[in-house]
Amino acid sequence: MVVQALAFYLFATVAVLSATAVVTVRNPVHSVLLLILTFFNAAGLFVLLGAEFLAMLLVVVYVGAVAVLFLFVVMMLDINFVEMRQGFLNYLPIGVLIAVVLFVELALVGAGWTLTDEAVAVLAQPTPVGVTNVEALGRLIYTDYAYIFQAAGLVLLVAMIGAIVLTLRHREGVRRQNISEQVKRNRADTLEIKKVPVGRGI
Amino acid sequence: MELLWDGYIEPVVWIVAKILAIVVPLLVAVAYLTYAERKVIGAIQLRKGPNVVGPFGLLQPLADGLKLFLKETIIPSSANKGVFIIAPMLTFILAIIAWAVIPFDEGMVLADLNVGILYIFAISSLGVYGIVMAGWASNSKYAFLGALRSGAQMVSYEISIGLIIISVLLTTGSLNLSDIVRGQVGGIWEWNFVYHFPMFIVFIVSILAETNRAPFDLPEAEAELVSGYNVDYSAMTFALFFLGEYANMILMSGLCAILFLGGWSAPLPFLEFIPGAIWFILKICFVLFIFLWVRATFPRYRYDQLMRLGWKIFLPLSFAWVMLVATFLVVFDKVPA
């Protein structure tokens, strides 16, 4: 148990510190890298909770895919750091105001929050006894809530189609490679052998 | 005191010993993979390959390693120092830690995770960070372009690898690598590559792209990008990238052996007296030989063709295969318990 406690404090401390650093460091690329470190430590906490499947998914999806795209975008940005700092004091009051509003709302919700006894019983047991993580989640998603899961998939599909429709532009005058056409052609389509008379040309 | 020894120190010593038993042979294997690569490509191109240092040039990898070790580590003055140094370490560490879940024989595995295959998938999806960080931190156009190419390529081919893994998992019914191998024990006709043959081919091509090897070695296309993301690295920082790349090749070959070639199981039942670890290593060598063979045979792909192959051919094909396998298993009532 001592090792587990040590691991918990390690992951938790690094997660909190790196999350703080995400918003405080100056270089946005460093911010994204620290965000990745935060995700990673959250995955470590999941493992300690016995939710190893969720931990792996967090790493595969958020760290391996989403954060990579983030990093690409941020690396491509051409940012003038001095300029970025200039408006800081102007925006400070609004920023503080929003932070206070959010904090008060969260505090009100948190203070009024109580758990029923049933919920507490569930909380103590992240996975049913004798069933692996993957199986427990699979039963929930694909057996108990299959229709809701399908509906969520459709929502994502619609969002994806929307994004493609919004950004798709057909440009004129772009030469594209049509590979099936290239493969399909034979010698007769492209080559012609002619006997050229000497001294006259074609 | 006794509690401290039995409870903490002894297990730690054991684990460290096991880790060393995996990592040290792995590093030797990496060194001799570079030697094998030069010898195989030399033979294909009717040359001799390295043959000067030691008998048959066998000490060449050690000489190369020593040379890299003794050189000066140069950090470009405009580089982002922290990220520049972390990038090669990250690449190397990720290439090594994935080996924790690889089963070499029945029960011969460091960590028998229930989600072993996902662990490997997660670790290999992190590999892109070492490369992208290196390209960005070098603060050089060539390195950055190489890193972007490599990143886009690895992210693209990961998707088809994931779907192929899913179709294999459907027939196995477990995410545990040892269970995946146990499902294939009994002879060559039980191995997954018989049933998933199209996906076996797609997987081999995808791991070539995932490890940035020829014919998909665009990130280091020397004709246009000098050498891609690692152009500013020298000495040991470069060596770490190199070791990471080759350790990743061996890891992906091992994964291919586990998923499709029956891991430690013998090809014919009467050959089972030979230890499983030897079969596993032979299978890894077989896949590695394909890596080298392909490199000496095919010209480099163009970048748009690479993306087309990944997104427009492999992705629909592996999707269709997942559907087909799932439908087959349900219709013929063969879903593994």
Side-chain angles (χ1 to χ4, degrees):
Chain A
M1 288 316 277
V2 182
V3 178
Q4 277 195 355
L6 281 179
F8 169 77
Y9 284 114
L10 178 72
F11 286 134
T13 323
V14 177
V16 171
L17 285 182
S18 52
T20 320
V22 170
V23 287
T24 50
V25 292
R26 279 162 182 250
N27 193 330
V29 173
H30 289 168
S31 271
V32 177
L33 292 176
L34 285 162
L35 184 68
I36 293 159
L37 187 64
T38 317
F39 280 147
F40 209 77
N41 283 288
L45 290 175
F46 270 132
V47 170
L48 286 183
L49 282 174
E52 68 261 22
F53 184 69
L54 275 184
M56 293 305 155
L57 274 197
L58 186 72
V59 175
V60 171
V61 176
Y62 282 91
V63 183
V66 177
V68 173
L69 298 181
F70 242 66
L71 195 62
F72 272 18
V73 173
V74 171
M75 278 179 178
M76 302 279 215
L77 293 177
D78 188 22
I79 300 172
N80 188 343
F81 294 111
V82 183
E83 221 171 77
M84 219 170 77
R85 296 271 135 195
Q86 274 174 359
F88 183 70
L89 278 181
N90 295 349
Y91 295 121
L92 192 63
I94 300 177
V96 169
L97 190 71
I98 293 175
V100 168
V101 169
L102 276 180
F103 180 76
V104 169
E105 280 179 356
L106 277 179
L108 285 177
V109 172
W113 191 284
T114 46
L115 288 173
T116 58
D117 294 341
E118 293 156 15
V120 172
V122 174
L123 269 186
Q125 223 173 49
T127 50
V129 181
V131 177
T132 64
N133 236 293
V134 186
E135 219 180 314
L137 261 178
R139 272 186 203 163
L140 276 180
I141 294 175
Y142 295 109
T143 310
D144 298 347
Y145 298 105
Y147 294 112
I148 299 174
F149 182 69
Q150 289 288 330
L154 279 180
V155 171
L156 280 177
L157 182 68
V158 169
M160 193 175 84
I161 294 173
I164 293 173
V165 168
L166 284 177
T167 52
L168 184 69
R169 260 181 227 123
H170 285 290
R171 281 187 298 166
E172 294 295 320
V174 180
R175 290 159 67 89
R176 286 188 196 284
Q177 188 179 19
N178 189 344
I179 293 199
S180 53
E181 211 159 83
Q182 281 182 351
V183 173
K184 215 164 52 189
R185 70 179 193 171
N186 52 28
R187 206 179 68 179
D189 299 337
T190 49
L191 272 182
E192 198 180 350
I193 296 178
K194 288 193 173 178
K195 276 227 182 295
V196 184
V198 179
R200 263 197 287 158
I202 302 174
Chain B
M1 194 61 216
E2 203 158 293
L3 181 91
L4 196 67
W5 173 254
D6 286 338
Y8 295 101
I9 299 175
E10 205 194 348
V12 167
V13 170
W14 256 113
I15 289 172
V16 170
K18 282 182 189 168
I19 291 173
L20 284 179
I22 294 175
V23 171
V24 173
L26 178 66
L27 292 181
V28 175
V30 165
Y32 279 92
L33 178 58
T34 64
Y35 172 78
E37 177 169 34
R38 294 166 69 177
K39 274 286 185 195
V40 168
I41 292 179
I44 291 176
Q45 296 169 347
L46 301 179
R47 294 182 286 113
K48 278 187 176 167
N51 64 349
V52 176
V53 189
F56 307 106
L58 273 171
L59 297 178
Q60 184 70 44
L62 300 182
D64 289 343
L66 191 67
K67 186 199 80 172
L68 282 169
F69 197 70
L70 293 176
K71 289 221 168 186
E72 183 192 354
T73 305
I74 300 166
I75 298 177
S77 54
S78 63
N80 198 313
K81 284 194 188 57
V83 181
F84 188 83
I85 292 177
I86 291 173
M89 291 196 232
L90 190 69
T91 307
F92 184 65
I93 292 168
L94 289 174
I96 298 279
I97 57 172
W99 283 87
V101 294
I102 297 280
F104 293 90
D105 199 347
E106 178 73 56
M108 219 164 117
V109 49
L110 183 63
D112 202 11
L113 282 192
N114 270 332
V115 288
I117 188 83
L118 267 178
Y119 172 82
I120 289 200
F121 193 59
I123 296 297
S124 74
S125 72
L126 294 182
V128 62
Y129 283 111
I131 289 167
V132 173
M133 279 163 73
W136 177 78
S138 312
N139 213 345
S140 138
K141 287 190 187 85
Y142 292 117
F144 190 55
L145 282 174
L148 285 185
R149 275 188 181 186
S150 175
Q153 176 178 333
M154 288 168 89
V155 171
S156 309
Y157 278 83
E158 226 154 63
I159 301 172
S160 64
I161 290 185
L163 285 168
I164 294 166
I165 290 176
I166 288 177
S167 49
V168 171
L169 293 182
L170 281 173
T171 46
T172 315
S174 170
L175 293 169
N176 187 316
L177 287 171
S178 303
D179 285 345
I180 291 174
V181 175
R182 275 179 213 123
Q184 305 176 60
V185 172
I188 195 166
W189 51 87
E190 296 281 343
W191 295 358
N192 276 331
F193 86 98
V194 178
Y195 307 102
H196 295 276
F197 191 72
M199 289 303 106
F200 175 58
I201 303 294
V202 174
F203 189 78
I204 296 241
V205 179
S206 298
I207 59 177
L208 287 175
E210 177 78 5
T211 49
N212 293 327
R213 292 286 301 177
F216 306 111
D217 56 346
L218 288 149
E220 40 197 285
E222 60 271 7
E224 9 172 346
L225 285 179
V226 225
S227 127
Y229 61 88
N230 56 21
V231 71
D232 278 324
Y233 284 87
S234 62
M236 275 322 275
T237 49
F238 174 78
L240 286 183
F241 273 124
F242 205 74
L243 287 171
E245 187 186 324
Y246 278 77
N248 255 332
M249 270 169 72
I250 304 179
L251 175 76
M252 284 296 165
S253 308
L255 192 60
C256 188
I258 289 171
L259 287 177
F260 291 101
L261 301 176
W264 67 72
S265 67
L268 295 167
F270 67 87
L271 287 173
E272 266 164 15
F273 65 92
I274 299 173
I278 290 180
W279 284 120
F280 185 57
I281 289 167
L282 280 178
K283 286 167 189 172
I284 290 183
C285 292
F286 170 71
V287 183
L288 282 175
F289 179 74
I290 295 180
F291 267 87
L292 308 181
W293 189 13
V294 165
R295 176 172 169 191
T297 311
F298 291 106
R300 187 175 288 138
Y301 252 54
R302 216 171 59 206
Y303 191 66
D304 60 319
Q305 292 173 334
L306 171 90
M307 282 297 160
R308 177 179 171 276
L309 185 71
W311 288 100
K312 291 191 175 171
I313 298 177
F314 282 0
L315 183 62
L317 195 65
S318 42
F319 246 127
W321 194 261
V322 172
M323 299 275 182
L324 188 73
V325 171
T327 316
F328 179 86
L329 291 176
V330 171
V331 169
F332 292 95
D333 202 22
K334 285 186 184 302
V335 181

